[in-house]
Amino acid sequence: MLEPSAETYASVVGLRTVRRFRPEPLSPDDRDAILEAGRWTGSSKNRQSWTVIVITERAQIERLAECGDFTKPLLGAATVLVPVRLPDGYDWDLGRMSQNMMLAAAARGVGSCPITFHREDCAREVLGVPDDHGCRFALAMGYPDESAELAGRSSFSMGGRKSLESLVRNDRF
Ligand SMILES: Cc1cc2nc3c(=O)[nH]c(=O)nc-3n(C[C@H](O)[C@H](O)[C@H](O)COP(=O)(O)O)c2cc1C
């Protein structure tokens, strides 16, 4: 069991996407800690029907950036993680794993952004992933470029959330 922790709660609620990164690579310790958080994610029937492709090769990242419509954060990322769903796996499990890796990254000072491959076949081809496996999403990761992030944010109207009242229904839809 985890100990109750206000800090952990604040990290969960406070996790925001980071899209602008400094150029240095992830330290091996940070990379491994993030992957370890992915490895320990609970999955349906504990099947663990997933694998994670770790990409640092620039040419490979540039090819992947062609596979989605909003992939710019990939181009500045130090590392790109692509969680791959094996044929008997569930998207729910991969979503949990991705969020865990994002939270673990944030706990180590690493920023991250989920990225959609709107053309999943393209990502499969670039990565050599078989047709019956899923690779619809990636995580762009790197140490945040704080000043670029702040400047970029002010010109975006992103952020904020719907109210709790509009989120929650009691007992019935
Ligand atoms: C499934 C999923 C796919 C996403 N795809 C992209 C994407 O392709 N490009 C991008 O820049 N952000 C992408 N995002 C990030 C969302 O835009 C972000 O979570 C949302 O705007 C909330 O951001 P915030 O937590 O920083 O407020 C994706 C997020 C999720 C959960």
Side-chain angles (χ1 to χ4, degrees):
M1 288 282 287
L2 286 178
E3 292 298 318
S5 161
E7 203 183 337
T8 303
Y9 182 78
S11 302
V12 171
V13 174
L15 181 72
R16 297 283 77 82
T17 51
V18 173
R19 294 188 171 83
R20 294 156 195 88
F21 308 103
R22 302 202 307 267
E24 64 259 38
L26 294 191
S27 76
D29 280 357
D30 286 342
R31 179 201 59 208
D32 292 350
I34 292 163
L35 293 169
E36 191 67 359
R39 186 170 80 88
W40 277 102
T41 302
S43 58
S44 171
K45 297 180 180 161
N46 199 22
R47 275 190 187 147
Q48 305 165 69
S49 291
W50 50 37
T51 187
V52 180
I53 304 178
V54 181
I55 305 153
T56 54
E57 199 183 287
R58 296 328 300 176
Q60 191 69 329
I61 290 173
E62 281 165 25
R63 283 191 282 269
L64 274 181
E66 298 295 316
C67 303
D69 295 337
F70 307 104
T71 59
K72 205 170 161 197
L74 290 181
L75 297 174
T79 294
V80 175
L81 302 180
V82 179
V84 175
R85 179 178 46 69
L86 306 191
D88 65 341
Y90 293 101
D91 287 332
W92 174 279
D93 295 340
L94 269 83
R96 289 191 68 197
M97 176 198 248
S98 299
Q99 182 78 356
N100 277 357
M101 293 196 292
M102 291 180 69
L103 285 165
R108 311 237 353 157
V110 175
S112 62
C113 181
I115 296 293
T116 307
F117 295 131
H118 298 90
R119 295 170 288 288
E120 193 174 350
D121 281 343
C122 166
R124 274 199 203 92
E125 191 178 328
V126 170
L127 298 169
V129 170
D131 285 350
D132 58 353
H133 290 42
C135 60
R136 174 93 175 147
F137 302 101
L139 296 173
M141 294 212 164
Y143 299 105
D145 180 339
E146 308 274 3
S147 52
E149 193 62 30
L150 277 175
R153 288 240 144 185
S154 61
S155 64
F156 263 73
S157 57
M158 292 176 115
R161 295 295 187 267
K162 292 179 184 174
S163 68
L164 202 55
E165 291 71 37
S166 68
L167 170 70
V168 178
R169 316 278 161 101
N170 291 311
D171 299 321
R172 300 281 187 282
F173 180 84

